[in-house]
Amino acid sequence: MPTILLVADASWVKNDVHAALSLPGYSVHDHEDPRTLTETIAEIGPDLAVIDMQVANMGGMAMARALKEAALASDFPEIPVILLLDRSVDSFLAKRAAADAWVQKPFDASEIRAAVSSVLTEEPAAGT
């Protein structure tokens, strides 16, 4: 069963992601503090991180880059990242952050499911 770490602090974002991924076979864990993201990933060991574009005082791009850099610098696990974008032009930032996929908010359930499925099955994803 794939474990997904959802990094978001907006209730509606968390509700929408949980509703979309409340299918058998997914386990979604919430996380709201960007400062403890790496520790939480080390503890939970998720297969994927879904990160909102802005959480507390840290941007999703910075969190995605931090995860990618931590994986390059140490024994930290490399996990795929899906960014939840505020605007379509933010896809530029998602690419710069080396996100594996992205979805623009507001999204429907099929969009987030397709992105998750694509990333977890390692199909090439340039965003949805």
Side-chain angles (χ1 to χ4, degrees):
M1 171 186 313
T3 301
I4 299 168
L5 183 66
L6 172 59
V7 185
D9 57 359
S11 296
W12 75 268
V13 172
K14 292 191 288 188
N15 291 340
D16 285 0
V17 171
H18 277 276
L21 300 177
S22 64
L23 304 169
Y26 289 123
S27 174
V28 181
H29 299 267
D30 291 335
H31 186 73
E32 293 185 3
D33 187 354
R35 296 170 299 168
T36 60
L37 181 57
T38 55
E39 293 89 352
T40 301
I41 286 177
E43 178 184 315
I44 294 175
D47 300 293
L48 166 69
V50 175
I51 302 175
D52 197 3
M53 196 60 174
Q54 185 67 40
V55 182
N57 62 350
M58 190 170 191
M61 180 181 173
M63 286 182 271
R65 297 283 304 163
L67 293 179
K68 299 291 183 177
E69 290 170 9
L72 290 173
S74 66
D75 291 337
F76 191 79
E78 184 172 346
I79 63 167
V81 172
I82 297 174
L83 283 177
L84 302 177
L85 308 181
D86 294 323
R87 309 167 297 162
S88 62
V89 297
D90 290 337
S91 62
F92 172 78
L93 298 175
K95 290 175 191 174
R96 297 275 307 196
D100 297 278
W102 48 89
V103 177
Q104 184 180 337
K105 300 177 293 186
F107 51 83
D108 63 39
S110 65
E111 290 174 304
I112 192 80
R113 285 184 200 138
V116 168
S117 177
S118 175
V119 168
L120 290 177
T121 57
E122 300 180 355
E123 294 174 11
T128 52

